[in-house]
Amino acid sequence: MALETYLVQVAFTAEAMAGLVKHPENRLSSMIPIVEKMGGKFIGSWISFGEYDSIAVIEMPDHVHIKAFSMAAMAGGGLRHFHITPMISFEKGVEAMKLAGSLAYQAPQED
């Protein structure tokens, strides 16, 4: 079964960030086993700047599994946001372009 690819962006609560500053740790050691238990694969993760504190690329069996992962992570506390972006390969993107080219969409009529 092919896995679906997702970009995951997380933001910690102020309290969780204070805890990480006081007791630095790599949170991947707690996340990777959960992803693998769900039949997924952890591709990579990075500390990021801006709205989100960390990003990861994760493969999961389907949308239900990635949503369950986000629910579990949020329910565990320590996160303000858990944003999921489904991604497709460029090859599938070209398939989508070809399909879109075969469709006829008409904008609403203006008065």
Side-chain angles (χ1 to χ4, degrees):
M1 168 170 55
L3 297 174
E4 300 291 331
T5 306
Y6 301 92
L7 172 66
V8 173
Q9 298 168 283
V10 299
F12 295 108
T13 63
E15 296 81 12
M17 187 58 75
L20 288 170
V21 168
K22 188 173 182 179
H23 303 286
E25 66 173 300
N26 184 340
R27 298 297 300 155
L28 294 179
S29 61
S30 66
M31 303 309 279
I32 292 173
I34 297 170
V35 169
E36 291 174 346
K37 180 179 181 180
M38 297 179 73
K41 183 178 176 187
F42 206 88
I43 304 302
S45 184
W46 300 265
I47 298 295
S48 55
F49 294 85
E51 185 176 351
Y52 298 100
D53 299 310
S54 179
I55 61 169
V57 176
I58 297 173
E59 292 180 339
M60 282 287 199
D62 53 39
H63 293 339
V64 173
H65 283 76
I66 192 68
K67 187 59 181 175
F69 177 60
S70 77
M71 290 174 172
M74 289 298 290
L79 296 178
R80 286 186 299 116
H81 297 290
F82 191 110
H83 186 81
I84 304 165
T85 304
M87 300 188 302
I88 62 173
S89 67
F90 277 101
E91 292 78 16
K92 290 203 179 277
V94 170
E95 285 181 41
M97 291 173 207
K98 290 176 182 177
L99 179 58
S102 71
L103 305 172
Y105 170 78
Q106 223 173 18
Q109 298 294 317
E110 294 185 29
D111 287 333

